[in-house]
Amino acid sequence: MAIYIGTTKNCILEGSASKKTFKIAVWGHSNKLEAVAAHPDDLAFVTAGFDKVVAKWRKQKVLWKVTTQSELISAAYHPSANTVVAGSLDGYVVVLNGETGVHVTTVRVCAAPLNDLKFNRTGSQFACAAQTGLVHGTQNALV
């Protein structure tokens, strides 16, 4: 007989009392969800939120998730889909491998929240819109 348990971290666990084993049946962000970025050519997407988690999804299944140091409020895919970036409440851009979620680097942009992140069509330029009203840009620095 299966037992289902809801957790305080927004998971539903499925398992057996007799075997004392449980696995995650459903996972979701445990705090405010702030960003969704669509994969450029797949039915996948990433989400990021105040729970400091970036997660990649496909057909409502989590493929990977990464916990960061700061609350996240923006996200974007590089056009090649090999990189995912997430912008934080305290001005950092977290760069992740788009396929595996492995942390590549973290870059300090400013001391203000990064409300939006975008790559140009070729992926050669990257811009961050900060809550201060400034737009910070770079060429070829993140990938």
Side-chain angles (χ1 to χ4, degrees):
M1 181 169 140
I3 295 176
Y4 295 90
I5 299 172
T7 72
T8 58
K9 291 291 186 180
N10 215 20
C11 294
I12 297 175
L13 304 177
E14 177 182 33
S16 166
S18 61
K19 294 181 183 177
K20 297 181 183 172
T21 59
F22 292 89
K23 65 179 182 174
I24 295 175
V26 177
W27 177 85
H29 285 274
S30 61
N31 207 325
K32 193 170 154 184
L33 176 64
E34 286 286 324
V36 176
H39 191 288
D41 49 33
D42 189 10
L43 294 176
F45 59 95
V46 294
T47 57
F50 267 40
D51 58 0
K52 303 178 183 179
V53 174
V54 180
K56 181 178 179 181
W57 304 75
R58 182 179 294 120
K59 296 183 181 178
Q60 297 144 355
K61 180 180 180 196
V62 176
L63 301 178
W64 53 256
K65 61 182 177 174
V66 175
T67 303
T68 65
Q69 296 287 322
S70 304
E71 292 88 354
L72 303 166
I73 59 171
S74 56
Y77 258 103
H78 186 274
S80 69
N82 62 351
T83 304
V84 169
V85 291
S88 76
L89 199 57
D90 53 359
Y92 288 90
V93 173
V94 179
V95 182
L96 305 170
N97 179 294
E99 290 302 312
T100 64
V102 171
H103 180 262
V104 175
T105 191
T106 299
V107 178
R108 176 73 174 212
V109 174
C110 63
L114 298 176
N115 292 9
D116 202 7
L117 310 171
K118 295 287 187 223
F119 287 94
N120 69 345
R121 287 184 190 176
T122 64
S124 62
Q125 295 179 336
F126 175 73
C128 305
Q131 196 162 345
T132 59
L134 296 175
V135 176
H136 303 271
T138 184
Q139 285 188 292
N140 299 319
L142 297 177
V143 292

